[in-house]
Amino acid sequence: MDRALERTKILSNHLVQSSSRQILSTNACLSYSPPELAEAFDFDVKEMRQLLDGHNVQDRDWLFNLIMQSRLFNPTKRGEKVFVTPDFNLTKEMQREITMKRIDYLLDRGVFQGWLTAKGSQAELKKIALQEVSAIFDHSLSIKIGVHFFLWGSAILFFGTKRHHDKWLGDTENYVVKGCFAMTELGHGSNVRGIETVTRYDSSTGEFVINTPCESAQKYWIGGAANHATHTIVFSQLEIDGKNQGVHAFICQIRDADGNICPNIRIADCGHKIGLNGVDNGRIWFDNVRIPRENLLNSVADVSPDGQYLSSIKDPDQRFAAFLAPLTSGRVIIASSAVYSAKVGLAIAIRYSLSRRAFSVKPNEPEVMLLDYPSHQRRLLPLLAKTYAMSSAANYLKMIYVNRTPQSIKTIHVVSSAFKAIHTWHNMRTLQECREACGGQGLKTENHIGHFKGEFDVQSTFEGDNNVLMQQVSKALHSEYIAAQRKNKPFQGFGLEHMNKPCPVIPSQLTSSTLRSSQFQMDAFCLRERDLLSRFVAEVSQFQAKGQTKEIAFMQSYQLAEDLGRAFSDRTILQIFIEAEATVSTGSLKNVIGLLRSMYALICLEEDAAFLRYGYLSMDNAAAVRKEVMKLCSELRPHALALVSSFGIPDAFLSPIAFDWIDANSWSSVHQ
Amino acid sequence: MAPVTSQDQVLEEEVSYVRILSLNRPKQLNALSFQMVTRLLELFLRYEHNSNVKLVIVKSIGRAFSAGGDVLGVVRAVKQGGWRLGAKFFYDEFILNYLMATYTKPQISILNGIVMGGGCGVSMHGRFRVATENSVFAMPETALSLFPDVGASYFLSRLPGFFGEYLALTGARLDGAEMLACGLATHFVPSSRLSLLEETLCKVDSSDPTIVSTIIDKFSQQPYLKDHSAYHRKDVIDKCFSHRTVEEILSSLERENIDRPDAWISATIELLKKASPISLKITLRSMREGRLQGVGQCLIREYRMVCHVLRGEVSKDFFEGSRAILIDKDKNPKWEPSKLELISDNMVDQYLSKVSDEEWEDLKLPARSNLPSFAIAKL
């Protein structure tokens, strides 16, 4: 309304008063003012980065250095700044070739040294850190590396035994062989146990014979298969003497050293995709391909030369679970690289919002900086806080993964499923908000954010569809509940210990200091989780009481299952974030983390309708939360630049609008 | 004899819109003294606010542009008055470097002679660097057990590939043609044309860098890059100096020397082996961080590092280096720690940490405004 009045006034002044020169005079040209010169840094950015990256900071910087200093990464001058970026004008085929060349360069520089041959958690963390950095440059690059090392390589490492390790790991690390991972089929993705590829054993020759019996059994989305891979892991039903022993994994060569496709193998391209076009996803058909008996990855089951099926695990369900357990690494890395993608989006959008102005409050006054609009703060700063919380959660997940024990496998499975889904959904949502927050500039591919939406979208689907994963989380919690009930024992594990305590009570009046206390925040999150879990268990058993199977009962209770999955994830993240905050010594850094933690907690309270739906918060409570979110926005605003600088993403990996966008768009830079 | 004042150490000439500053301590090869730094700082600040000044030319009297900071002066100061007295010199020097890097008017440095260490600091950050056939560039700090400071972690790390690591770790020398090839110099002008160049520049009445560039272009020529130039060895340099640690860099050079033995590689290995191990380690770290930071952040970090060097908590190599190279001149320093393997990451981390001294403060960068895009990009 004010704006309309003001416009009317300007117009009427213009029409009535001929002497309104002041209003008609042109403003001085806009000039870019770097946010660094205006914004204060209240805490040590390096210390914060150490906390966020968590590990291998120097190794990360080394890889950033390697990428920046090579022509292969397409360094491009925009104005006075140089950015490294994939070349967006390349065709799909050219993108695949340049991605492979970049990998060759990194290989030559020793980046992959020890990725499969070095043992221990330190080596694993280093590899994950470097993988995260590669994704900041280009998701295709990181996925192409990931398929080779974390799918093909890990399959050999975890499903194979010494004979496979000796033969393949060294050659994989040096890219003497290029591996891919053929699990998904046209007809089966999430449901791996339903795949239709069949492998039979021929004891007369001591070979396995792999076959694609029908079109829906063709291997689909196999990264690396279309152009480069020489070998693949094939997931297939194993049939011995007419009896199906379930899904097993085999090594199969698909190309010779010169890149020619092997006999009895047919390969086709998956075609152009909405993102990741630097990855050569292909389709594979096996026409009775013969492979040596030794190519069965035999960590859980083997076939003797005379064709006897041998396995120490008799139950096929358990066998399958034991088999797939090591594949968690993929979800761990996806969860953490989703956070880095969100960091890139936020760093660009927030830096832009600190240099871009729009509309003056009063005529002839300077226009208002985007991030000084409370509404703009509300769009970006809660996402920033969530990214911080999830960054901390991703670090926790990495740590429990690299320090895994047989006892922690189940927890890792549940937590990685939850975080993979929550983090990748958060990333997509953040990118969309950041894209819009940058206005038209967000639409330019060179500004990364819009491009990242296409590149990272796949994260919600591969390595387990997010919705399916979240259902698994709820099911796991369900069985914990049932087990605790049946054994009449307290809850232990998955952070559910709070269920053993009395039900928390939310005060009717919420003051600012209550809202910001971690005790209240945890109480609210725990209340939601425990109530949803009991409701879910009750609803499932109601359906079962009516004679439905457990499976149908789960299906029918999907609404509560979804709410519960989110409640578990949010509570776990908050708990981890509070613990991380506790490790920081008192000072400005801790204060800012406290603000972020409160923002994270309160925005979850505001966003999830479950809090009001089930009455965990009263309407008055919800109004108090909403007000506090606004206050937190204004308190975080002065730290915005420092908070995105702490992400440690070098300037060259951000984009022109994050810096002097006027210079980057000047006439003189047109023909640079 | 009248005392040498700071006015004498930096001569000032005023020609219409141009100011010509000449470093004038020729006997000491124009090594930057505390007075020179203070004087330059004062002049640069004054010119910035004077709309009648459009260009600043920095040149030198004698055969050196500047052989570096006055290390001997610093060592004496530290010995007499404690590390803080030495730190004060670096503080002001780095502030000057920052001012030059973010200067609103073009600075043209005429590098007609030796330009090393602190001499690079007062020239490389400016808009135009003119090399001649007399230029000799080096950042030889690792031999003294300092590290390339004065913002070198910014300007060296931005050279092509890993040439910056090569120059920083070995202290290798470049001639004018090499400086131009790698980008340390923006122009190469034969010394015989310098006076004419200066005369023409003095007619400029604008701060527009394209006008200045066009003028210098007219006097420039493409020098011949000598056959045995290190710049022709860029492939090997990139391959070896891109490694993650100093140890790996050394062993990759040694492997290379076995595969394809050659005098240049042997000499490079020798340079690294002669240098102070701790100094090599902190230099590499500084370069790797510097490449990812703005010039201000680089100088703040380097100031922390230099304070730690002067305090000598982790290693006293700086004083040993100065003794062996500058004072006793026996060229036989005894480094401590004596080997790369004896230096932990923690020890290197210490150099980057805040100094635990109540009176100590981080380098406080002066406020800057109305910066040209050339300067904004460096923040």
Side-chain angles (χ1 to χ4, degrees):
Chain A
M1 193 57 209
D2 285 354
R3 184 134 297 274
L5 274 174
E6 188 194 305
R7 301 295 301 171
T8 325
K9 215 154 86 192
I10 292 172
L11 281 173
S12 61
N13 277 345
H14 179 50
L15 292 169
V16 179
Q17 302 176 350
S18 55
S19 62
S20 60
R21 282 240 294 292
Q22 225 181 355
I23 288 159
L24 287 177
S25 68
T26 46
N27 290 323
C29 280
L30 279 184
S31 65
Y32 175 84
S33 175
E36 284 81 0
L37 299 183
E39 305 286 321
F41 282 66
D42 224 31
F43 57 88
D44 188 339
V45 166
K46 272 178 93 170
E47 212 180 318
M48 184 70 106
R49 182 187 171 200
Q50 177 64 44
L51 208 66
L52 281 168
D53 278 340
H55 58 98
N56 298 89
V57 174
Q58 285 175 60
D59 292 311
R60 292 169 199 271
D61 283 354
W62 172 55
L63 184 50
F64 281 132
N65 272 276
L66 282 176
I67 292 174
M68 283 166 68
Q69 297 308 100
S70 162
R71 304 295 311 169
L72 282 170
F73 295 81
N74 195 29
T76 309
K77 202 166 179 214
R78 298 284 276 109
E80 294 287 344
K81 269 201 120 77
V82 178
F83 298 97
V84 284
T85 155
D87 184 340
F88 307 113
N89 289 315
L90 297 184
T91 64
K92 177 186 74 171
E93 291 306 320
M94 289 153 90
Q95 288 185 53
R96 291 171 176 186
E97 286 320 305
I98 190 75
T99 304
M100 200 63 231
K101 279 202 184 110
R102 287 171 183 149
I103 291 176
D104 287 341
Y105 163 79
L106 298 178
L107 173 70
D108 202 42
R109 293 288 183 259
V111 171
F112 306 124
Q113 226 165 47
W115 277 36
L116 287 167
T117 53
K119 302 273 174 274
S121 56
Q122 289 312 311
E124 243 174 330
L125 284 173
K126 179 179 170 188
K127 160 170 81 175
I128 295 173
L130 296 176
Q131 171 78 1
E132 286 164 353
V133 168
S134 72
I136 292 172
F137 172 75
D138 177 26
H139 200 210
S140 284
L141 176 66
S142 102
I143 293 305
K144 184 108 176 133
I145 294 169
V147 168
H148 179 75
F149 284 100
F150 295 103
L151 293 178
W152 155 266
S154 298
I156 290 175
L157 196 60
F158 297 129
F159 307 158
T161 49
K162 187 166 184 305
R163 66 175 187 234
H164 304 110
H165 299 170
D166 293 346
K167 183 165 180 191
W168 301 102
L169 292 182
D171 278 356
T172 298
E173 203 170 284
N174 296 315
Y175 275 90
V176 175
V177 296
K178 294 177 184 137
C180 61
F181 187 83
M183 183 188 255
T184 299
E185 296 176 357
L186 177 59
H188 290 87
S190 292
N191 180 16
V192 179
R193 297 184 75 178
I195 59 170
E196 298 170 289
T197 302
V198 180
T199 299
R200 297 183 181 87
Y201 182 65
D202 180 349
S203 56
S204 66
T205 60
E207 289 170 316
F208 286 110
V209 185
I210 308 172
N211 192 40
T212 304
C214 50
E215 283 302 352
S216 58
Q218 65 180 274
K219 292 295 177 184
Y220 215 99
W221 295 127
I222 312 310
N227 295 75
H228 298 123
T230 58
H231 292 73
T232 187
I233 304 290
V234 188
F235 283 83
S236 161
Q237 305 291 347
L238 172 62
E239 222 179 89
I240 301 286
D241 298 331
K243 190 183 173 210
N244 184 6
Q245 297 290 355
V247 175
H248 289 69
F250 304 85
I251 295 172
C252 179
Q253 182 162 10
I254 56 173
R255 282 191 181 82
D256 65 20
D258 299 325
N260 306 304
I261 295 171
C262 293
N264 296 351
I265 301 273
R266 284 175 288 149
I267 290 178
D269 203 315
C270 286
H272 196 270
K273 306 179 292 273
I274 61 167
L276 282 192
N277 283 300
V279 180
D280 51 325
N281 291 93
R283 305 183 276 150
I284 313 175
W285 290 259
F286 299 90
D287 302 326
N288 292 315
V289 179
R290 289 182 164 265
I291 55 164
R293 187 184 66 90
E294 292 74 22
N295 282 18
L296 169 67
L297 293 171
N298 59 341
S299 67
V300 290
D302 207 350
V303 173
S304 67
D306 62 342
Q308 299 295 313
Y309 183 75
L310 312 159
S311 177
S312 52
I313 309 174
K314 293 286 169 246
D315 177 8
D317 286 349
Q318 279 181 19
R319 199 156 65 214
F320 183 72
F323 199 54
L324 286 193
L327 286 189
T328 325
S329 71
R331 286 199 290 276
V332 174
I333 291 165
I334 291 168
S336 73
S337 70
V339 177
Y340 279 96
S341 161
K343 285 176 180 172
V344 172
L346 284 164
I348 293 171
I350 287 179
R351 289 191 59 94
Y352 186 56
S353 73
L354 289 169
S355 68
R356 170 79 189 204
R357 295 168 181 271
F359 302 106
S360 322
V361 179
K362 285 186 195 149
N364 299 318
E365 267 193 358
E367 293 176 282
V368 178
M369 190 88 81
L370 293 188
L371 202 61
D372 287 332
Y373 285 99
S375 58
H376 211 78
Q377 295 168 8
R378 174 61 186 79
R379 288 168 68 186
L380 296 177
L381 300 183
L383 293 171
L384 180 65
K386 280 188 163 186
T387 303
Y388 264 80
M390 291 187 197
S391 182
S392 163
N395 284 341
Y396 167 83
L397 175 59
K398 283 188 269 182
M399 292 308 161
I400 59 171
Y401 173 71
V402 301
N403 296 312
R404 61 193 172 274
T405 59
Q407 292 75 40
S408 67
I409 290 291
K410 208 164 131 196
T411 307
I412 294 171
H413 174 75
V414 172
V415 175
S416 69
S417 300
F419 287 1
K420 188 266 189 185
I422 292 289
H423 286 40
T424 60
W425 275 329
H426 166 72
N427 177 38
M428 290 308 291
R429 187 184 153 201
T430 302
L431 290 175
Q432 182 63 26
E433 195 62 63
C434 290
R435 204 299 290 154
E436 292 178 34
C438 294
Q441 289 298 326
L443 299 170
K444 291 187 69 164
T445 315
E446 70 171 16
N447 288 322
H448 293 324
I449 301 171
H451 182 236
F452 269 30
K453 288 198 300 167
E455 291 294 312
F456 283 88
D457 198 343
V458 64
Q459 288 195 324
S460 43
T461 298
F462 64 15
E463 295 284 311
D465 173 271
N466 279 5
N467 287 287
V468 174
L469 290 178
M470 287 303 265
Q471 284 162 15
Q472 289 184 11
V473 171
S474 313
K475 279 185 197 169
L477 297 177
H478 180 272
S479 54
E480 281 299 304
Y481 192 98
I482 298 293
Q485 226 175 21
R486 189 174 299 148
K487 293 180 198 153
N488 199 20
K489 271 191 174 168
F491 286 90
Q492 205 187 348
F494 299 115
L496 291 176
E497 289 79 2
H498 66 89
M499 306 274 297
N500 304 322
K501 292 188 207 156
C503 187
V505 179
I506 303 298
S508 55
Q509 295 288 322
L510 290 175
T511 62
S512 180
S513 69
T514 307
L515 284 163
R516 291 181 188 212
S517 82
S518 52
Q519 183 60 51
F520 157 76
Q521 293 159 3
M522 270 311 281
D523 279 354
F525 279 47
C526 289
L527 175 61
R528 172 179 58 155
E529 187 183 22
R530 76 190 283 152
D531 182 67
L532 285 170
L533 180 49
S534 4
R535 280 173 193 268
F536 181 53
V537 171
E539 194 172 287
V540 169
S541 66
Q542 268 170 28
F543 281 117
Q544 284 178 299
K546 286 184 201 152
Q548 308 274 29
T549 62
K550 197 166 145 192
E551 287 68 30
I552 299 279
F554 276 137
M555 267 189 243
Q556 295 296 332
S557 303
Y558 73 93
Q559 286 182 321
L560 277 167
E562 267 177 31
D563 284 348
L564 173 61
R566 181 162 287 280
F568 166 79
S569 312
D570 291 350
R571 192 264 306 146
T572 311
I573 293 169
L574 179 61
Q575 201 166 345
I576 295 166
F577 202 27
I578 288 173
E579 279 161 22
E581 183 186 347
T583 64
V584 179
S585 47
T586 313
S588 50
L589 188 69
K590 198 186 188 77
N591 295 342
V592 168
I593 295 174
L595 290 178
L596 291 165
R597 187 251 307 145
S598 284
M599 176 65 101
Y600 171 73
L602 297 191
I603 204 68
C604 288
L605 293 185
E606 182 175 310
E607 281 175 354
D608 188 1
F611 285 100
L612 278 171
R613 184 186 300 129
Y614 299 107
Y616 313 137
L617 293 180
S618 67
M619 280 169 71
D620 281 352
N621 288 161
V625 166
R626 203 166 161 75
K627 228 171 107 187
E628 200 64 21
V629 165
M630 257 186 91
K631 265 173 76 184
L632 281 167
C633 277
S634 64
E635 285 173 48
L636 279 171
R637 160 65 186 86
H639 303 294
L641 182 67
L643 287 170
V644 295
S645 303
S646 304
F647 290 156
I649 300 164
D651 293 0
F653 291 74
L654 298 179
S655 76
I657 48 165
F659 302 95
D660 189 346
W661 41 271
I662 297 179
D663 187 40
N665 284 289
S666 67
W667 178 251
S668 62
S669 77
V670 170
H671 298 294
Q672 254 180 358
Chain B
M1 201 168 89
V4 181
T5 66
S6 59
Q7 263 82 355
D8 299 328
Q9 294 190 8
V10 179
L11 305 176
E12 186 192 13
E13 232 178 302
E14 187 180 320
V15 188
S16 61
Y17 292 104
V18 178
R19 297 294 177 276
I20 304 166
L21 304 179
S22 301
L23 308 178
N24 183 31
R25 255 182 116 212
K27 275 188 192 156
Q28 291 84 2
L29 299 175
N30 294 321
L32 291 184
S33 63
F34 188 69
Q35 289 88 335
M36 286 164 95
V37 169
T38 318
R39 176 77 178 146
L40 284 169
L41 201 52
E42 176 197 322
L43 291 170
F44 267 81
L45 281 172
R46 192 198 301 159
Y47 297 157
E48 188 148 65
H49 301 293
N50 182 348
S51 57
N52 283 328
V53 177
K54 306 286 185 194
L55 292 186
V56 184
I57 297 175
V58 180
K59 58 175 199 174
S60 55
I61 306 294
R63 62 192 177 89
F65 173 80
S66 167
D70 185 2
V71 178
L72 221 47
V74 170
V75 171
R76 275 193 212 112
V78 172
K79 286 199 170 145
Q80 287 160 15
W83 67 274
R84 268 192 217 89
L85 210 57
K88 173 75 182 134
F89 171 80
F90 288 100
Y91 194 102
D92 288 2
E93 187 184 22
F94 291 5
I95 294 291
L96 173 65
N97 298 148
Y98 181 69
L99 183 64
M100 287 172 158
T102 57
Y103 209 55
T104 49
K105 301 169 189 193
Q107 172 189 345
I108 303 140
S109 304
I110 311 287
L111 308 169
N112 189 27
I114 296 169
V115 49
M116 292 184 185
C120 304
V122 294
S123 53
M124 293 302 147
H125 294 291
R127 191 73 154 99
F128 299 104
R129 288 93 56 190
V130 178
T132 74
E133 73 282 3
N134 299 319
S135 302
V136 180
F137 170 96
M139 288 298 287
E141 284 81 358
T142 56
L144 270 179
S145 192
L146 199 58
F147 62 93
D149 58 344
V150 295
S153 64
Y154 182 85
F155 65 75
L156 284 185
S157 68
R158 274 146 182 89
L159 300 184
F162 292 84
F163 202 63
E165 269 88 344
Y166 164 68
L167 294 178
L169 291 169
T170 63
R173 295 178 172 207
L174 301 181
D175 64 21
E178 292 170 311
M179 290 172 70
L180 183 72
C182 72
L184 282 168
T186 55
H187 296 81
F188 183 96
V189 175
S191 59
S192 56
R193 296 191 201 162
L194 286 178
S195 51
L196 208 56
L197 168 66
E198 197 180 307
E199 212 173 287
T200 317
L201 284 172
C202 286
K203 291 175 188 146
V204 173
D205 58 359
S206 145
S207 288
D208 183 347
T210 50
I211 294 174
V212 179
S213 186
T214 315
I215 292 173
I216 313 177
D217 280 344
K218 279 188 199 139
F219 294 87
S220 297
Q221 68 177 43
Q222 190 60 43
Y224 173 71
L225 193 60
K226 62 190 181 210
D227 291 339
H228 61 273
S229 166
Y231 205 67
H232 290 308
R233 313 304 296 272
K234 271 205 74 251
D235 284 350
V236 184
I237 288 175
D238 285 351
K239 188 172 161 192
C240 299
F241 283 85
S242 59
H243 278 282
R244 162 80 174 76
T245 62
V246 180
E247 290 92 324
E248 286 167 353
I249 291 174
L250 247 173
S251 62
S252 72
L253 283 164
E254 278 163 349
R255 269 198 310 277
E256 198 70 27
N257 207 19
I258 292 167
D259 296 347
R260 281 170 288 271
D262 130 8
W264 175 81
I265 297 182
S266 308
T268 304
I269 294 171
E270 275 317 297
L271 285 171
L272 291 176
K273 289 200 164 159
K274 250 174 46 194
S276 142
I278 187 77
S279 169
L280 291 176
K281 287 255 180 177
I282 61 174
T283 297
L284 185 63
R285 175 76 79 84
S286 179
M287 291 293 290
R288 294 283 157 83
E289 289 207 3
R291 191 169 278 128
L292 311 177
Q293 290 173 324
V295 68
Q297 293 309 309
C298 284
L299 287 162
I300 290 173
R301 175 177 36 72
E302 288 177 10
Y303 180 67
R304 283 187 184 188
M305 292 170 70
V306 93
C307 289
H308 284 287
V309 167
L310 295 177
R311 281 162 62 94
E313 299 151 300
V314 181
S315 162
K316 298 188 176 20
D317 274 3
F318 172 57
F319 301 98
E320 172 63 8
S322 316
R323 181 202 63 76
I325 311 288
L326 304 173
I327 302 167
D328 298 350
K329 298 188 182 167
D330 60 16
K331 291 187 183 166
N332 187 23
K334 296 273 178 282
W335 303 128
E336 187 61 43
S338 59
K339 285 190 191 125
L340 290 167
E341 305 84 80
L342 298 173
I343 298 164
S344 67
D345 273 356
N346 260 346
M347 289 161 82
V348 179
D349 288 343
Q350 269 198 53
Y351 282 88
L352 279 80
S353 64
K354 289 189 175 188
V355 174
S356 46
D357 181 300
E358 278 185 13
E359 284 170 42
W360 182 87
E361 273 186 1
D362 264 323
L363 187 73
K364 228 175 164 166
L365 301 172
R368 307 292 293 139
S369 57
N370 299 320
L371 298 181
S373 34
F374 168 71
I376 288 176
K378 294 184 186 178
L379 294 173

